[in-house]
């Protein structure tokens, strides 16, 4: 294939409810949507998971636009590409900026799977027809409100409940949840809110039979996490610290993580995500697919990736309707009883609604 035309759109979507983590609150979703068109007219869609603020990682909507316009798109336009796994190599001179790279690589994977007449899931080597999913719940104003919200999602059938924690919203919260929901699979995500000096506090979480604790320590750390894991019975799962197969290998070899959260954008695309999956499978490290409050396009890519064999733990890919009044894809992603049916049609398996996209677009530029 040869990509001849790329459209970058900056979208803003209202969220049904604000989402609060230890690093801040999102009350609207701003992101870049990429449309890539090849010489035959096949259209592929990709989504950047970079937020409008650099609090989860250093990338933002604006830095992504800069990287795409000035460096990544010029490397791709009018070049013959025989397989999307080549894109990683084409981008290799450019350091990091993984979310920007991933958005473009994702659109190319979509085109490739359409042209080879297979679902994206199949093109990636996935086999599941249905995927199990959980849900991630932000920090609330009171434990009572949190219990109500958890109760609603447990009733909807989500397969595990993840709750955000931070200092002063941790041990008592998890104690109450475990007492109220004795049989539910529960985990906590700290988004780097603690330091090794908090080990005694974090050890108290061992009382609540949590599936795992996600990224308790610094976002760039794998050393202190290894030491913390020695002290904790609860498995540590790294999110922010893992940007590549090499990061995954080092963290696993050091004993810093027993489970890995794979986010396509954070690791620079689907090709690298599959490599991390394969490495983890060989090393008995279960993985699950993380979420970044994606619109339907990013959500569809997450669904496809999760069909790979070693995605044995429920991910964060909830129904579109959990986040937005109206998503940009048709049909929307629907989790029923904590399970999503994987589409079998060629490409990402969902249709992008151009009118809906237009209604959320605040800026747009074309590259030829
Ligand atoms: O750490 O997984 C995270 C949302 C924004 C930034 C980081 C994270 C999250 C979530 C929500 O946990 C995942 C989702 O529902 O998409
Ligand atoms: Mg996380």
């Amino acid at each position: 294939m040869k990509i001849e035309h790329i459209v970058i759109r900056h979208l803003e979507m209202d969220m049904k409810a604000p989402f609060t983590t230890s690093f801040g609150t999102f009350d609207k979703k701003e992101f870049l949507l990429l449309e890539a068109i090849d010489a035959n007219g096949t259209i592929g869609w990709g989504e950047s998971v970079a937020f409008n603020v650099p609090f989860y990682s250093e990338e933002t909507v604006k830095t992504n636009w800069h990287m795409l316009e000035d460096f990544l798109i010029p490397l791709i336009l009018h070049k013959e590409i025989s397989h999307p796994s080549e894109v990683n190599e084409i981008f290799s001179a450019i350091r990091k900026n993984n979310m920007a790279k991933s958005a473009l690589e994702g659109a190319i994977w979509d085109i490739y799977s359409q042209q080879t007449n297979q679902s994206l899931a199949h093109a990636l080597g996935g086999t599941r027809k249905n995927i199990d999913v959980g849900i991630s719940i932000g920090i609330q104003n009171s434990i009572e409100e949190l219990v109500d919200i958890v109760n609603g999602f447990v009733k909807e059938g989500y397969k595990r409940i993840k709750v955000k924690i931070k200092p002063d919203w941790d041990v008592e919260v998890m104690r109450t949840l475990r007492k109220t929901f004795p049989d539910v699979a529960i985990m906590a995500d700290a988004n780097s809110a603690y330091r090794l000096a908090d080990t005694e506090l974090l050890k108290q979480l061992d009382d609540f039979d949590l599936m795992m604790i996600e990224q308790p320590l610094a976002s760039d750390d794998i050393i202190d996490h290894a030491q913390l894991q020695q002290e904790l019975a609860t498995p540590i799962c790294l999110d922010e610290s893992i940007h590549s197969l090499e990061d995954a290998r080092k963290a696993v070899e050091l004993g810093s993580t027993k489970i890995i959260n794979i986010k396509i954008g954070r690791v620079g695309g689907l090709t690298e995500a599959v490599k991390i999956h394969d490495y983890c499978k060989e090393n008995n490290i279960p993985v699950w697919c993380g979420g970044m409050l994606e619109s339907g396009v990013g959500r569809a890519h997450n669904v496809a990736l999760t069909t790979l064999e070693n995605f044995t733990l429920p991910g964060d890919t909830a129904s579109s309707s959990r986040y937005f009044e109206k998503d940009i894809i048709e049909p929307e992603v629907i989790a029923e009883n904590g399970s999503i049916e994987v589409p079998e049609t060629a490409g990402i398996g969902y249709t992008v609604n151009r009118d809906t996209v237009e209604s959320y677009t605040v800026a747009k530029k074309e590259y030829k």
Side-chain angles (χ1 to χ4, degrees):
M1 82 190 89
K2 241 185 203 174
I3 308 297
E4 300 288 3
H5 182 183
I6 292 170
V7 187
I8 301 182
R9 291 180 177 84
H10 176 171
L11 272 68
E12 270 186 34
M13 290 169 76
D14 284 333
M15 292 185 18
K16 280 188 173 172
F19 190 91
T20 299
T21 71
S22 60
F23 60 75
T25 297
F26 297 99
D27 40 28
K28 67 178 179 194
K29 171 68 181 167
E30 274 193 64
F31 64 101
L32 295 183
L33 181 69
L34 251 68
E35 180 181 3
I37 304 145
D38 98 319
N40 301 328
T42 311
I43 295 171
W45 294 94
E47 173 170 344
S48 165
V49 297
F51 295 116
N52 55 328
V53 287
F55 302 158
Y56 168 83
S57 80
E58 70 285 0
E59 293 185 77
T60 70
V61 169
K62 276 193 191 169
T63 68
N64 273 209
W65 198 314
H66 160 54
M67 290 307 300
L68 284 160
E69 173 166 303
D70 295 330
F71 299 105
L72 302 173
I73 290 177
L75 284 172
I76 291 294
L77 273 181
H78 317 302
K79 278 248 177 70
E80 184 59 42
I81 298 168
S82 53
H83 192 274
S85 61
E86 292 163 19
V87 174
N88 235 354
E89 195 50 43
I90 296 172
F91 289 161
S92 62
I94 293 165
R95 296 199 201 276
K96 301 185 181 169
N97 293 285
N98 283 354
M99 295 172 183
K101 291 175 178 171
S102 172
L104 188 45
E105 194 232 32
I108 292 169
W109 269 104
D110 183 15
I111 292 177
Y112 169 79
S113 43
Q114 290 174 63
Q115 292 188 340
T116 50
N117 198 26
Q118 55 183 330
S119 66
L120 177 59
H122 187 266
L124 295 170
T127 50
R128 294 174 201 280
K129 304 272 179 242
N130 295 278
I131 59 162
D132 282 350
V133 293
I135 194 152
S136 174
I137 301 170
I139 292 160
Q140 307 298 320
N141 291 319
S142 69
I143 297 187
E144 293 70 37
E145 278 170 73
L146 177 65
V147 166
D148 267 3
I149 293 169
V150 170
N151 192 37
F153 289 129
V154 167
K155 283 196 176 132
E156 281 186 42
Y158 281 102
K159 295 254 160 61
R160 68 90 171 106
I161 300 291
K162 158 170 148 183
V163 292
K164 295 292 189 179
I165 57 169
K166 64 171 185 180
D168 296 325
W169 181 266
D170 43 37
V171 177
E172 286 320 307
V173 171
M174 301 317 289
R175 189 192 311 282
T176 305
L177 287 182
R178 180 44 81 214
K179 214 185 274 169
T180 318
F181 304 98
D183 302 322
V184 170
I186 301 175
M187 62 173 285
D189 184 359
N191 289 108
S192 303
Y194 300 91
R195 292 298 173 261
L196 204 49
D198 300 311
T199 300
E200 286 310 310
L201 181 147
L202 293 168
K203 276 167 80 166
Q204 294 181 56
L205 298 174
D206 279 345
D207 289 346
F208 312 130
D209 188 27
L210 304 180
M211 283 179 96
M212 69 193 91
I213 177 168
E214 189 178 340
Q215 196 73 35
L217 307 181
S219 65
D220 58 357
D221 171 76
I222 56 170
I223 307 291
D224 286 357
H225 278 102
Q227 205 171 324
L228 177 64
Q229 184 68 88
Q230 296 284 322
E231 303 288 323
L232 288 188
T234 307
I236 291 176
C237 168
L238 290 179
D239 171 353
E240 282 90 330
S241 295
I242 306 295
H243 302 98
S244 63
L245 171 61
E246 273 297 276
D247 285 353
R249 178 184 66 75
K250 290 168 189 168
V252 169
E253 285 182 7
L254 280 175
S256 324
T257 195
K258 291 186 174 164
I259 297 168
I260 291 181
N261 165 340
I262 300 182
K263 289 180 180 170
I264 303 165
R266 198 192 64 233
V267 304
L270 284 163
T271 304
E272 193 74 7
V274 172
K275 286 184 189 167
I276 295 172
H277 163 274
D278 294 350
Y279 169 82
C280 287
K281 191 173 138 194
E282 280 163 27
N283 289 277
N284 297 314
I285 301 290
V287 303
W288 54 277
C289 184
M292 292 284 279
L293 314 170
E294 289 93 341
S295 87
V297 167
R299 205 160 289 280
H301 283 83
N302 289 344
V303 169
L305 180 67
T306 306
T307 62
L308 274 73
E309 199 184 327
N310 193 38
F311 281 85
T312 50
L313 299 171
D316 275 346
T317 313
S319 294
S320 298
S321 63
R322 180 257 192 283
Y323 310 86
F324 311 111
E325 284 302 336
K326 187 169 170 38
D327 203 344
I328 60 173
I329 52 163
E330 284 168 3
E332 297 197 341
V333 171
I334 299 168
E336 226 169 332
N337 271 317
S339 174
I340 296 173
E341 206 180 308
V342 180
E344 289 181 359
T345 49
I348 62 172
Y350 301 84
T351 305
V352 174
N353 182 324
R354 288 184 176 276
D355 292 338
T356 313
V357 167
E358 197 59 38
S359 71
Y360 296 136
T361 299
V362 296
K364 169 180 166 181
K365 194 165 171 184
E366 311 209 15
Y367 303 84
K368 287 186 182 181

